[in-house]
Amino acid sequence: MEFVFLAYPSQPELRALSFLGVSLVYTLIITGNVLIIMAIQTEARLHTPMYYFLGSLSGVEVCYTAVVVPHILANTLQSEKTITLLGCAIQMIFLIGLGSADCFLLAVMAYDRYVAICHPLQYPLTMTFTLCGRLVMASVVIGLFLSIQLVAFIFSLPFCRTRTIEHFFCDAPPVMRLVCANSHIHEHSVLVAATLAIAIPFFFIATSYVFIVAAVLKIHSAAGRRRAFSTCSSHLSVVLLQYGCCAFMYLRPSSSYYPKQDQFISLVYILGTPVLNPLIYTLRNSDMKGTLGRLLTRNCLSHYNY
């Protein structure tokens, strides 16, 4: 049994342009996130919980895009744009699981900023590297656990004879459109899973920032307030971009599903968010900009000498 994707362009010119465009963006995603990971590993000053979480987020996003983007590139060039039932289920497990881990990691990063700003004296004792490692591991494990439960539930349902998916890859909303059963009950099940992975972490982030803002407003010096807010601005920008796209895709009834609109939004969170995250974190962070500059200079010099 196979599913057929209908969202890909049929004209050879558009297929070639799509392939080149997606390849370019994917190269930027891999390069930007790998550079962040390398910078954090090589620079001793960046061996702090905040940068440890940032490196973990970059690692998750590299894996997250690798689940879908190579498949999109292959299908763009192939005449038959199909995927097996098992392949579709596996793709959904890792896509939703790593996407959920991304959301949980952003919540963990908000907690890190909350402790650093609201309880600075307790920060070194609270945010140990053992705890940081456990929080990252818990984010990935819980994300994959929720994803496996959701995908197992969806694929236990009967599918209609029409096996065409109006999308670029296997995702919950378009696949649920193929289910031939009482849609309301199943829709609520998907909504519960989406609430656990999106709404609850976002509520936790919002609560953390309420306490952060209250603590920052108590700082008397303008320079101190500006420095405290600057450490949170990058994270907040990424949160709004990531959660905005995910909430639009998953926290709404299937009656409001519009294929063309959803295809565009899915490309934003599959390609747009991972390519913007490194830019947001580096352009607003002088330590990261300095480390990346030194790293690139050192690599260029070593290559030149070689």
Side-chain angles (χ1 to χ4, degrees):
M1 292 192 346
E2 291 184 332
F3 291 125
V4 180
F5 298 105
L6 300 180
Y8 292 91
S10 56
Q11 296 90 340
E13 297 83 4
L14 282 178
R15 285 163 62 179
L17 277 174
S18 301
F19 182 84
L20 289 172
V22 173
S23 298
L24 175 62
V25 175
Y26 188 48
T27 303
L28 292 174
I29 289 169
I30 299 298
T31 304
N33 285 291
V34 168
L35 279 174
I36 283 180
I37 295 168
M38 288 174 62
I40 291 168
Q41 285 184 337
T42 55
E43 184 67 38
R45 282 191 310 162
L46 302 183
H47 292 174
T48 63
M50 183 177 81
Y51 290 108
Y52 176 78
F53 291 132
L54 177 56
S56 301
L57 185 72
S58 292
V60 167
E61 294 204 331
V62 168
C63 299
Y64 172 68
T65 51
V67 172
V68 171
V69 180
H71 177 257
I72 291 175
L73 291 171
N75 274 342
T76 303
L77 297 179
Q78 289 173 352
S79 55
E80 291 188 4
K81 304 161 197 329
T82 60
I83 190 170
T84 63
L85 198 70
L86 178 62
C88 186
I90 292 171
Q91 187 179 73
M92 279 179 65
I93 285 172
F94 285 103
L95 173 69
I96 297 170
L98 292 172
S100 301
D102 209 319
C103 292
F104 291 134
L105 268 176
L106 288 172
V108 168
M109 291 170 79
Y111 174 71
D112 173 69
R113 292 298 83 208
Y114 160 75
V115 178
I117 293 170
C118 299
H119 305 285
L121 297 178
Q122 298 173 21
Y123 183 74
L125 298 174
T126 304
M127 299 305 294
T128 61
F129 277 101
T130 303
L131 177 63
C132 293
R134 287 174 180 171
L135 288 172
V136 171
M137 187 62 67
S139 299
V140 175
V141 169
I142 294 170
L144 288 172
F145 175 77
L146 289 173
S147 174
I148 290 168
Q149 301 298 311
L150 176 63
V151 173
F153 170 74
I154 291 173
F155 280 83
S156 68
L157 302 172
F159 287 103
C160 301
R161 288 185 177 275
T162 304
R163 297 282 162 80
T164 54
I165 300 176
E166 295 190 60
H167 211 55
F168 300 104
F169 51 88
C170 288
D171 202 358
V175 171
M176 282 294 292
R177 300 279 292 177
L178 305 181
V179 171
C180 288
N182 188 341
S183 60
H184 291 297
I185 298 170
H186 307 130
E187 190 179 308
H188 289 315
S189 303
V190 174
L191 196 60
V192 167
T195 302
L196 290 171
I198 301 169
I200 291 176
F202 184 76
F203 176 76
F204 182 82
I205 291 170
T207 305
S208 299
Y209 272 102
V210 168
F211 287 109
I212 288 170
V213 170
V216 170
L217 291 177
K218 292 177 183 176
I219 299 173
H220 297 295
S221 69
R225 284 197 298 270
R226 195 160 49 247
R227 189 166 56 253
F229 275 128
S230 69
T231 63
C232 301
S233 60
S234 301
H235 176 255
L236 202 53
S237 303
V238 172
V239 165
L240 293 174
L241 187 62
Q242 175 79 8
Y243 278 87
C245 292
C246 290
F248 180 84
M249 283 297 293
Y250 299 106
L251 295 177
R252 63 192 175 112
S254 60
S255 57
S256 61
Y257 176 77
Y258 299 104
K260 296 293 182 187
Q261 180 179 271
D262 285 26
Q263 289 162 20
F264 173 75
I265 296 296
S266 69
L267 288 179
V268 171
Y269 72 78
I270 289 294
L271 296 172
T273 307
V275 81
L276 286 175
N277 285 359
L279 290 174
I280 291 170
Y281 278 112
T282 52
L283 291 176
R284 296 191 175 194
N285 190 308
S286 57
D287 289 338
M288 186 60 75
K289 275 194 291 188
T291 302
L292 284 174
R294 286 190 295 275
L295 181 67
L296 291 172
T297 304
R298 193 161 57 241
N299 287 341
C300 288
L301 287 174
S302 63
H303 180 72
Y304 178 77
N305 292 332
Y306 178 77

